[in-house]
Amino acid sequence: MMKSTAEFGIASWIERFTRTFGALICIAATVMLTTAVSAAEDEHSCEPEKTDIQDPYVNAWHDLVYDQKPPDLVAGVDYGMDPTGSGFVHPKATPLDEDEAPRPFPGQLDYWEQKSYAKNMDVLAFYSHITTPFQSWQAIADFDGRRYMYVSYRFNLAVWDITDPRNAKLITEYGNYWGSKGPVTNEQQLEPGQTMGGIIIRWSPALKKLVLVQSGEYPRFGVFEDKLHEPEGVDQIRNWKYNKGFTVYAMNGPLPSQWDLIATRTTDFMHPDVPAGEQRGTGALDTVSWYGGRYMFLSAAPDDSYALTEYPNYLHSPGYQSWDMSDPANPQFLDQLVVPGQIVGDPEHEAAYLMNPRAGNRTSWMGSRMPLFIPTPVEKGGKIGFAAMGGLGFYVVDISDPAKMKVISHLAFPPKVAGTEADNIDVSQYNRTGYVFMNGYPMNNDCYEPYKDVFVIDVRDLEHPSVATTFPRPIPPADAPYVDYCQRRGSFGPKRPGYMGQPGESREGYIPYAFYNAGIQLFDVHDPVHPQIAGYYVPRFPKPDEVPEFVNGNLAYGLFAEYDRNVIWMFTNHGMYALGSPLLGEPVNGVPEHPWPPKE
């Protein structure tokens, strides 16, 4: 039960008030002091004694603004179930829990539920093999009457034959898979110096064969937790020994042993010939946006000055790049798009950054995490891309000339941290309705952060986008032993509605979202201003013999939809599910009449 201030005690209330507003009080007091005293001599510093920050870019970002990191909160006092019965009350702001520590609150389950729930969705099959319990990318390609799915994550790549989704078979695997005690060593590893990040597969008219583009970015977690206090980790990322950019493979068959590496590029476009270990910036984040034609778009910071981000374990604020892929064996850089508030050392960028209410919170991701979202390829007359840039908000971008990308408009959002803001944009209904759907996703367990909405954005007037409404919050079934999914444990909130390169055309009027502990939620968006939940499949949590308990909270973290076969693949921390829904149509076996990717 949420306690009142009086019940909690005046001493605790004062402590929480001081933690929350102390930085602001100190800043106000410091402004009134003489500025003649140097920072080194100032006894009125608002922060603890400054850490010896060795990295110049991290140091320059740190010195822009005082530390205003959200305080740790008290369960049942600052967040938890509302005693009036209105549901869960989310915190207003929280720090990022890098270790995903449990944050239990009164009224939450004290066990990992083993029951599943379904509405208008059916399980076609479940596969217990776990490439990773955290995050993965998927791509699909048809070869010689068989359909293959590629599941990748950093140093892992699994190849599945999914011709019959009810009887899929693991064909080969590189890297380490997961078991009950964690990663299990696999004898077959990727080649030294090779990674397998987000991938997309398209038909290349120039090469007359399928081409795979693989993004190469440095890790977003696992190297260090706080860039202010871990110089060794920062240095490791600066000198990341793998390519920061992307690689291109010609696929002569479905297996990696049949692929030819035909191009390697760095997103450090000012230094295109420097080797891995000396490249600056991020590499290409997530998957690239490419339809197989001339133009490709991706998310990247080209150098280390793109440093204005509060995220504690990430060094860059990525923008967007465009590349000419007329010859996939010889990609050519075209343009870099940057928006106000990304570059440290630039007075205009720093001023824009300081105007953002997130400045100083040591929590927010600033910049892109995925490429531009493009409703219609440029080669087919498309002129618009939509950008989700974390705490920097939503942008409409003119890509009619990919060599000269231009911002058309911008839409800002109130902070909702921790968690990721403005991560993904679904454009599947844009050409029909003029609306797109943007969301962030949760990063902390037990709803220890503000809820992440899916925003319905009206972009019929590209120069004046506006929020029309939000998707409804999923509600547990009536027979569940809780009234709010926050009580189920783990993370709760939207992730993504799949990835670019999903076979077929996105279904008119329906969008599935991975929703962590709420499984897959299928939304009816025939009328985008009045979205409704039309179906769901909520899986059980892992059993003790499947994965270590510390990954249990990361339940349904992704999906990949085969719209040409009416199959949704749900990726969880204990395996992958093949799902069907009568709302999408009867699931289809075999390779469809028109193989994927299309040969256009």
Side-chain angles (χ1 to χ4, degrees):
M1 176 182 294
M2 298 285 286
K3 298 179 181 179
S4 68
T5 300
E7 291 173 318
F8 185 60
I10 188 65
S12 179
W13 184 88
I14 292 173
E15 177 187 357
R16 290 188 295 128
F17 180 88
T18 302
R19 282 183 296 161
T20 305
F21 298 104
L24 296 177
I25 294 172
C26 183
I27 292 169
T30 303
V31 169
M32 292 186 289
L33 295 174
T34 175
T35 57
V37 182
S38 70
E41 297 171 341
D42 185 4
E43 297 179 356
H44 301 276
S45 174
C46 292
E47 295 185 320
E49 183 178 352
K50 181 179 175 182
T51 305
D52 180 17
I53 303 174
Q54 301 174 18
D55 185 89
Y57 297 100
V58 174
N59 186 62
W61 158 75
H62 168 273
D63 286 352
L64 278 179
V65 62
Y66 290 109
D67 184 344
Q68 300 172 62
K69 181 178 179 179
D72 284 320
L73 303 179
V74 179
V77 176
D78 300 299
Y79 65 98
M81 298 305 295
D82 191 315
T84 66
S86 61
F88 185 82
V89 178
H90 283 265
K92 302 301 182 187
T94 56
L96 178 68
D97 262 353
E98 172 65 17
D99 58 359
E100 297 189 40
R103 296 281 184 167
F105 55 86
Q108 187 182 48
L109 298 185
D110 60 2
Y111 59 91
W112 297 104
E113 189 183 27
Q114 293 302 300
K115 186 176 180 180
S116 300
Y117 304 89
K119 174 185 176 182
N120 282 331
M121 296 192 82
D122 306 299
V123 176
L124 307 178
F126 169 69
Y127 303 95
S128 59
H129 188 83
I130 307 165
T131 299
T132 168
F134 301 114
Q135 156 70 19
S136 63
W137 295 280
Q138 301 84 38
I140 282 177
D142 296 332
F143 283 94
D144 301 323
R146 311 294 298 179
R147 173 156 286 192
Y148 298 89
M149 180 166 64
Y150 303 88
V151 182
S152 61
Y153 183 74
R154 308 300 183 199
F155 302 100
N156 301 338
L157 174 65
V159 183
W160 290 81
D161 183 333
I162 59 168
T163 309
D164 179 357
R166 294 177 175 84
N167 188 28
K169 299 183 184 302
L170 180 65
I171 302 301
T172 189
E173 184 171 35
Y174 295 79
N176 302 330
Y177 56 93
W178 275 67
S180 61
K181 299 185 183 302
V184 179
T185 301
N186 180 12
E187 291 184 2
Q188 188 167 242
Q189 300 287 328
L190 296 175
E191 295 294 327
Q194 184 182 22
T195 62
M196 194 56 65
I199 61 178
I200 195 165
I201 300 171
R202 297 294 192 185
W203 174 259
S204 168
L207 299 183
K208 293 184 172 22
K209 62 178 61 178
L210 293 179
V211 168
L212 182 151
V213 179
Q214 177 265 327
S215 298
E217 60 174 306
Y218 67 75
R220 301 185 196 180
F221 63 90
V223 176
F224 61 87
E225 294 185 9
D226 188 347
K227 58 193 173 188
L228 294 175
H229 304 288
E230 300 177 59
E232 296 84 2
V234 172
D235 187 64
Q236 183 179 343
I237 293 299
R238 295 289 190 218
N239 302 288
W240 186 239
K241 62 182 180 180
Y242 300 91
N243 182 54
K244 293 179 178 178
F246 61 91
T247 51
V248 185
Y249 295 86
M251 302 177 73
N252 303 307
L255 302 180
S257 59
Q258 299 170 294
W259 304 347
D260 293 328
L261 176 61
I262 59 174
T264 299
R265 291 291 184 272
T266 176
T267 49
D268 181 1
F269 65 87
M270 294 294 291
H271 306 89
D273 299 319
V274 297
E278 299 177 23
Q279 297 164 355
R280 306 178 307 170
T282 59
L285 277 70
D286 216 277
T287 59
V288 303
S289 178
W290 183 49
Y291 290 88
R294 179 176 179 181
Y295 298 112
M296 181 173 76
F297 301 86
L298 54 84
S299 166
D303 64 58
D304 297 334
S305 68
Y306 285 62
L308 295 180
T309 183
E310 295 293 323
Y311 210 71
N313 63 0
Y314 202 75
L315 301 177
H316 295 88
S317 175
Y320 299 96
Q321 292 185 0
S322 55
W323 287 75
D324 188 326
M325 292 286 286
S326 299
D327 179 3
N330 187 28
Q332 299 293 310
F333 172 79
L334 294 175
D335 192 23
Q336 174 80 42
L337 179 70
V338 59
V339 304
Q342 292 196 279
I343 299 176
V344 75
D346 182 297
E348 292 185 4
H349 276 274
E350 291 182 349
Y353 187 77
L354 291 174
M355 290 295 291
N356 193 307
R358 297 162 182 81
N361 72 15
R362 307 300 192 247
T363 305
S364 292
W365 180 287
M366 315 291 271
S368 62
R369 296 172 66 93
M370 298 184 73
L372 288 173
F373 298 86
I374 301 171
T376 304
V378 175
E379 297 86 348
K380 293 186 177 182
K383 298 180 179 180
I384 299 300
F386 298 103
M389 301 201 71
L392 298 179
F394 170 88
Y395 284 83
V396 181
V397 181
D398 180 349
I399 58 170
S400 56
D401 181 356
K404 297 179 181 179
M405 295 184 286
K406 298 179 293 186
V407 169
I408 295 175
S409 58
H410 171 234
L411 184 61
F413 291 80
K416 282 197 172 184
V417 295
T420 301
E421 304 170 276
D423 169 77
N424 182 89
I425 301 172
D426 183 277
V427 297
S428 64
Q429 314 295 310
Y430 170 71
N431 289 330
R432 177 177 69 90
T433 68
Y435 291 83
V436 299
F437 313 116
M438 188 186 76
N439 67 285
Y441 64 83
M443 295 291 287
N444 292 345
N445 279 332
D446 302 321
C447 293
Y448 186 63
E449 62 182 75
Y451 179 67
K452 300 301 180 291
D453 280 301
V454 181
F455 294 98
V456 177
I457 302 179
D458 183 347
V459 281
R460 290 174 294 178
D461 180 350
L462 294 172
E463 295 184 355
H464 301 94
S466 61
V467 174
T469 188
T470 58
F471 279 22
R473 179 189 178 105
I475 299 173
D479 59 337
Y482 40 84
V483 297
D484 192 286
Y485 276 113
C486 289
Q487 296 174 279
R488 199 181 188 226
R489 304 183 71 177
S491 291
F492 168 60
K495 182 67 184 286
R496 293 169 182 169
Y499 285 92
M500 298 178 190
Q502 295 180 142
E505 298 292 334
S506 297
R507 196 55 42 83
E508 181 177 310
Y510 291 108
I511 301 176
Y513 276 81
F515 237 89
Y516 289 102
N517 71 1
I520 298 294
Q521 297 283 320
L522 183 60
F523 291 89
D524 182 334
V525 291
H526 284 88
D527 179 356
V529 181
H530 298 94
Q532 302 176 30
I533 296 173
Y536 52 76
Y537 183 76
V538 181
R540 62 173 175 83
F541 278 100
K543 300 174 183 177
D545 61 348
E546 291 178 307
V547 289
E549 187 177 11
F550 72 86
V551 304
N552 277 14
N554 194 51
L555 187 53
Y557 66 73
L559 70 84
F560 197 76
E562 295 183 75
Y563 287 109
D564 62 349
R565 297 203 306 172
N566 303 325
V567 176
I568 296 175
W569 294 90
M570 176 174 65
F571 295 86
T572 76
N573 53 12
H574 59 279
M576 64 184 193
Y577 293 74
L579 303 173
S581 171
L583 300 178
L584 300 182
E586 183 68 23
V588 177
N589 282 356
V591 173
E593 179 183 355
H594 301 287
W596 185 263
K599 296 181 179 181
E600 298 178 358

